[in-house]
Amino acid sequence: MPASPAAPGPRPADRGEDERSPGRYGEAVFEPDSPGEAERVDYGALTYDPISRARLLALGVSPGWRCLDAGAGTGGIARWLAHDIGVAEVVAVDRDIRFLIDAADDTLRPLAADITDPSFDPGRFDLVHARFLLMHLPDHEEVLSRLAALVAPGGRLLVSDAIDLTTEPSPESPYRAAMLAMWQALRETIGTDITWVPGYPWRLRVIGLAEVGAEVYVPPLTRGRPITSFWLETWARLREAMLGTGLVDTGTLDEAARSLSSGSFAGLSPGMISAWGRRV
Ligand SMILES: C[S@@+](CC[C@H](N)C(=O)[O-])C[C@H]1O[C@@H](n2cnc3c(N)ncnc32)[C@H](O)[C@@H]1O
């Protein structure tokens, strides 16, 4: 009698792991020393900074606040907090702070650290801000709770990530195919997951924040806009991984890039959800 197969253990996905063991942001893809990476991040910042700034003002950010910007990138929000608002302090944390060093002064303090490190504890802040960070972290739920714990009583947490309300319903096209391949490629290379982000308001309530609110901004996508350059640059960096999904071929990717660069393209980009709450 053949030996009976061992009882199957839980599938990796059931254990909360990805079946493909993804790499990390900045290592497997979006390496900070790759040419043009700062510009790519800035294209995203140019699109979303006005939305983030307006929200931060509505949340009452003002001189005297101590602020933490997690995954600060090229530091657009940290610089604005330090130099335009005149907050008391901005700790700008990133695993790689090369784009933040030149901004360092008495108010803006770049800090090289991994936000997923359980021992990360830089103090308590009136504002904790994280934009386009948690979606790239497989342990986002745990990190969200720890970010909330860094907010001083009465302080604010503001988190923003990508939300894609427009690709699925858009007409069949090389653009649509490329965008769907991009999300899958991101998931397979670094574990990026945006499926959970619409639950932000509920998650902030569950971790005990009060005065929870949320909003979504969906930028128009036409030639010459920073968001259009952002997607073109992102696709270029992910090209091999996008081809590896099997959802697109080189002809489709080339046509998608051509159409997005053309004056006749008009659409709506994937957008940004922002959610906030106050620590009681
Ligand atoms: C998509 S960029 C967003 C940058 C900036 N927040 C913005 O919105 O323009 C993500 C940033 O998070 C940083 N990052 C990724 N994983 C991190 C981690 N585990 N700890 C700290 N920073 C991390 C990356 O180095 C990168 O600068």
Side-chain angles (χ1 to χ4, degrees), residues 24-25 41 71-73 94-95 113-116 131-133 137:
R24 310 185 74 191
Y25 188 106
V41 174
D94 206 289
R95 279 178 59 215
D114 186 336
I115 210 86
T116 62
R131 190 176 69 184
F132 301 129
L133 172 67
L137 304 178

Side-chain angles (χ1 to χ4, degrees), residues 59 62 79 119 137 140 160 176 209 219 221 226 253 269 277-278:
L59 291 176
S62 50
R79 290 170 211 253
S119 66
L137 304 178
H140 51 82
S160 300
R176 181 179 186 277
L209 298 186
L221 197 53
L253 286 189
S269 168
R278 186 172 65 82

Side-chain angles (χ1 to χ4, degrees), residues 22-96:
R24 310 185 74 191
Y25 188 106
E27 289 173 358
V29 72
F30 307 139
E31 302 90 332
D33 56 0
S34 65
E37 178 57 11
E39 288 75 16
R40 188 191 69 88
V41 174
D42 277 344
Y43 284 135
L46 274 172
T47 304
Y48 292 112
D49 275 1
I51 309 301
S52 300
R53 291 176 185 180
R55 179 47 49 196
L56 288 166
L57 289 171
L59 291 176
V61 67
S62 50
W65 279 32
R66 293 193 63 233
C67 307
L68 175 77
D69 191 15
T74 52
I77 291 297
R79 290 170 211 253
W80 174 78
L81 286 168
H83 305 139
D84 294 21
I85 302 300
V87 299
E89 180 184 29
V90 189
V91 179
V93 185
D94 206 289
R95 279 178 59 215
D96 190 307

Side-chain angles (χ1 to χ4, degrees), residues 115-120 139 141-150:
I115 210 86
T116 62
D117 179 349
S119 66
F120 176 73
D139 41 1
E141 208 151 332
E142 196 187 318
V143 177
L144 179 63
S145 296
R146 273 196 278 113
L147 287 179
L150 297 178

